[in-house]
Structures are given as C-alpha cells and as structure tokens.
Amino acid sequence: GDSVTQMEGPVTLSEEAFLTINCTYTATGYPSLFWYVQYPGEGLQLLLKATKADDKGSNKGFEATYRKETTSFHLEKGSVQVSDSAVYFCALSEPRNNDMRFGAGTRLTVKP
Amino acid sequence: KAGVTQTPRYLIKTRGQQVTLSCSPISGHRSVSWYQQTPGQGLQFLFEYFSETQRNKGNFPGRFSGRQFSNSRSEMNVSTLELGDSALYLCASSRRDYGTDTQYFGPGTRLTVL
C-alpha cells in the first residue's frame, strides 16, 4: 500500500542554519503530497502542499518540490528560526480516497 | 472562518468504559476524517465520513465507531476502552468535492485510559 518515509529525528540546528528534512513516498497512483507541522499540545497545521509532479509548494520560507522521478518531497528552509521548533510530518493522499498516510514525523529543535 | 473544533480537549477514563468525542468541521466542509496519534504508532487513519456516510475505514477494531450528522458534525465512539487506546485523537475536515482535497486538523482530544 501507499506509504511515506521521512528522515529520523531529532534534528537540532542553530538559528539561521539551513534545514532539509527528507521525505520519500510509495504510491500506486498519483498522490498529492503535504507537509504538516505540529507544535506542542496542538493539532496539525498545513505547511505546504503539491498536487502534481514538479509542483513546488511554499509557505513561510519553507519549500518542497514534488519529484516523481525520485518519489521525493523534501522540505527545505534557508534560515531557520527558534520559532520553527516543532514536529514536521510528510503525508500523501490519493485522489480515490481521503486516507492520508503520514510519515513518522521529524522533531526539529532550533537553538538560539 | 472558524477552524475545526474538537471537544472535549482532555478526557480521563478507566478501562472498560466507553467514550464519545466530538468534532465540528470548518463551515462548508462535508468530509470529516478521524486519526489516532500515539508515540509508538504515529498517525493512523480511523475513518472518513462524507454526507453522513462512512466512506473509508482504517484498520481498527469494531470498538471504534463514528457517525456524522446532517450539519457535518461528527462523533467518534470507543467502547470497552483499553489502556492502549490512550492517544491524541485528531479530526480533520475537507470539502472533498472532487479527488484529493486538503485536510484541516483540529487541536485534538487527548484521551487517557487508566
């Protein structure tokens, strides 16, 4: 079945460092891909999404490009801030259903 | 526009009891999905309701059930609670008019089973 694999955490960075969180997927069809962020004690917030190959999702300085050839959707940010500390989830959803599949999550801690 | 709301935010129950969780979707959204989040299993899909009908179901025992009302509000019920049911239960809503649609999550209900 469809699945998402994302890099193990935790990830600890200094403020203004470059961030990459790797995400790869397995899908039988043509899924949409998402990054969600979860802050302590809260639900998931949509960070960005891409619905077809070569689409780039972006929001709040974060970017991810839907790469069909490598089945990847890596999350990047050029300069992280302390406020970016959270758990990041990569997810996919197929058009035929609303069963969203999530990666295990990557905890990011940014130190001043 | 108001976001997805879930009540209650926290619940403490004992083994063998049952519990009902409530979710109010974003206005205009007709699809409601439920997820269970635990440290060991991560985020797992429970079921989806659309226009009062269960349209999709994850791999959970029959103790987990749900329903959706005509105003799209949804409830999830867990009967005969087990210790392993302790988790954060997340509800997500989407328009789901066609194909894949973005799901918007509520803050969750944290259930503790003692």
Side-chain angles (χ1 to χ4, degrees):
Chain A
D2 294 358
S3 65
V4 175
T5 303
Q6 62 182 102
M7 64 185 285
E8 296 283 332
V11 174
T12 302
L13 296 173
S14 297
E15 207 165 23
E16 299 184 2
F18 184 85
L19 169 71
T20 298
I21 301 178
N22 290 338
C23 171
T24 57
Y25 68 91
T26 303
T28 52
Y30 301 93
S32 292
L33 302 174
F34 304 82
W35 278 100
Y36 283 88
V37 59
Q38 186 175 36
Y39 298 99
E42 298 184 12
L44 276 67
Q45 297 178 25
L46 176 67
L47 184 57
L48 52 85
K49 70 175 184 178
T51 57
K52 61 183 186 299
D54 299 325
D55 267 4
K56 178 187 278 189
S58 61
N59 186 28
K60 299 181 182 179
F62 291 91
E63 292 183 340
T65 301
Y66 191 142
R67 302 283 188 202
K68 192 169 184 295
E69 63 275 15
T70 54
T71 62
S72 65
F73 193 54
H74 304 322
L75 182 67
E76 296 182 336
K77 187 175 185 183
S79 176
V80 293
Q81 306 300 313
V82 173
S83 57
D84 293 327
S85 298
V87 180
Y88 292 81
F89 293 92
C90 184
L92 68 78
S93 182
E94 293 269 18
R96 64 180 182 273
N97 61 50
N98 233 16
D99 173 4
M100 188 164 274
R101 304 295 175 95
F102 289 88
T106 302
R107 181 176 299 279
L108 169 67
T109 301
V110 180
K111 296 189 172 180
Chain B
K1 216 180 225 185
V4 178
T5 58
Q6 292 186 245
T7 57
R9 291 293 310 276
Y10 302 91
L11 266 177
I12 299 175
K13 293 286 187 179
T14 56
R15 277 182 299 174
Q17 287 187 309
Q18 76 166 21
V19 67
T20 299
L21 314 181
S22 181
C23 171
S24 292
I26 292 171
S27 177
H29 285 194
R30 294 193 294 166
S31 169
V32 174
S33 297
W34 289 89
Y35 296 83
Q36 181 195 64
Q37 185 178 23
T38 60
Q41 299 298 318
L43 278 153
Q44 293 185 285
F45 172 77
L46 281 154
F47 30 65
E48 179 202 6
Y49 284 86
F50 182 84
S51 293
E52 301 179 64
T53 302
Q54 187 181 87
R55 194 155 61 171
N56 201 7
K57 190 176 189 303
N59 189 25
F60 278 81
R63 300 185 297 108
F64 292 82
S65 63
R67 60 178 175 168
Q68 187 180 33
F69 302 94
S70 59
N71 61 358
S72 294
R73 190 177 69 84
S74 177
E75 288 183 346
M76 190 192 99
N77 185 273
V78 187
S79 62
T80 320
L81 284 166
E82 300 177 0
L83 294 179
D85 297 333
S86 294
L88 181 67
Y89 290 88
L90 293 164
C91 161
S93 78
S94 66
R95 290 174 310 166
R96 195 73 160 109
D97 292 334
Y98 171 76
T100 300
D101 197 9
T102 301
Q103 296 189 34
Y104 296 89
F105 286 79
T109 294
R110 169 104 26 216
L111 171 65
T112 302
V113 182
L114 302 176

